[in-house]
Amino acid sequence: GMEADFAAFGSPLCGEVKRFCRRVRETYREIKEDLTPYRDDRYYRLAPMRLYTLSKRHFVLVFVVFFVCFGLTVFIGIAGPNVIETSVARTDLNNSVKLKPFNLSSPPLSTYNQQLWLTCIVELDQQDVSLKKNVSMTVKILGVVKDGSTPYVNNQVHNRTRLLSCAQKCSEIIVAHLGYLNYTQYNIFVSLEDLNKLTYTIQNITFTWKTYNPTFSQVEIWFRFVFVVLTFMVTCLFAHSLRKFSMRDWGIEQKWMSILLPLLLLYNGT
């Protein structure tokens, strides 16, 4: 009696499972038909892509050339000049108890230096100090022109607040940053009167000028120029290869390439 009940119970269950599997197969077949593009006459008029007709040898050759070029750029980046050029303007406090404003002159600059940073590091007498304090500073930037005069930059004095963080050594503080250089030299006056309120003795304050390395800037310009020329040549070859086909017959890859190549040309050219 129990086996008969189990058989009666199993038959409907197996039937439901079979119907469910059949329904899944039908749904999959319908989705596959919907996703498969209908190959009308336009399908055979689409502009051909060389990538789909490459032989194995040419396919491997394309990848080899790509990795050789990529490795060459990585090697030039590693063996090339440093990106940032630094020069230290160490200031002597002369054992004075009270800090006075600092008058700092930048090294000679050119357009290849691109930007200018002035940073400082505070050195305390105590080495194992843990300190975090907001420090106010006053910065006045003067540009030196050829006749020796020093006009104001932006005609204002800048008041800035920076976080002084010390843990054995104090972290570097950015005093000023010029995003573009209109003068060949700058004089910067820095007042750090808030440091006089510290309970710790200041041993020294080291200021550092940072700019882009002019040699790096020249290498960057040549790289961009070479890539502008290469991108222009590829764009011309791409347009020449598609001149026989209507834009309606372009594939999605070719349409996107027609947008990306001019954008890449503009990116490398600016």
Side-chain angles (χ1 to χ4, degrees), residues 122-124 126-133 163-171 198 200:
V122 179
E123 301 176 17
L124 303 177
Q126 295 83 352
Q127 298 296 327
D128 54 350
V129 174
S130 180
L131 172 67
K132 283 191 177 181
K133 179 179 176 60
L163 177 63
L164 177 63
S165 178
C166 299
Q168 294 184 349
K169 290 185 178 181
C170 295
S171 59
L198 292 178
Y200 304 99

Side-chain angles (χ1 to χ4, degrees), residues 45-59:
R45 288 188 288 107
L46 288 176
M49 292 189 63
R50 184 69 181 274
L51 179 65
Y52 298 145
T53 58
L54 287 178
S55 63
K56 291 183 179 179
R57 183 183 303 173
H58 290 162
F59 196 77

Side-chain angles (χ1 to χ4, degrees), residues 150-220:
T150 54
Y152 275 102
V153 176
N154 296 331
N155 294 322
Q156 61 179 339
V157 177
H158 304 274
N159 295 312
R160 296 288 183 265
T161 301
R162 298 288 187 263
L163 177 63
L164 177 63
S165 178
C166 299
Q168 294 184 349
K169 290 185 178 181
C170 295
S171 59
E172 192 175 43
I173 300 174
I174 297 177
V175 177
H177 173 221
L178 298 177
Y180 52 90
L181 305 177
N182 293 328
Y183 300 92
T184 57
Q185 192 175 15
Y186 288 88
N187 289 342
I188 298 183
F189 294 86
V190 183
S191 177
L192 301 169
E193 294 184 358
D194 263 13
L195 293 181
N196 293 319
K197 302 176 184 178
L198 292 178
T199 56
Y200 304 99
T201 304
I202 297 176
Q203 182 179 2
N204 197 12
I205 298 179
T206 303
F207 289 91
T208 304
W209 299 100
K210 295 184 179 182
T211 63
Y212 280 98
N213 190 347
T215 306
F216 168 79
S217 298
Q218 293 176 8
V219 172
E220 183 184 22

Side-chain angles (χ1 to χ4, degrees), residues 107-119:
L109 303 170
S110 67
T111 53
Y112 290 118
N113 291 111
Q114 300 187 42
Q115 301 182 39
L116 177 66
W117 290 267
L118 176 63
T119 64

Side-chain angles (χ1 to χ4, degrees), residues 1-15:
M2 185 179 295
E3 293 180 358
D5 293 340
F6 180 77
F9 174 75
S11 297
L13 181 61
C14 291

Side-chain angles (χ1 to χ4, degrees), residues 218-237:
Q218 293 176 8
V219 172
E220 183 184 22
I221 290 172
W222 277 107
F223 250 81
R224 293 174 78 95
F225 174 75
V226 169
F227 277 103
V228 164
V229 174
L230 291 178
T231 305
F232 179 75
M233 293 172 59
V234 171
T235 304
C236 292
L237 291 174

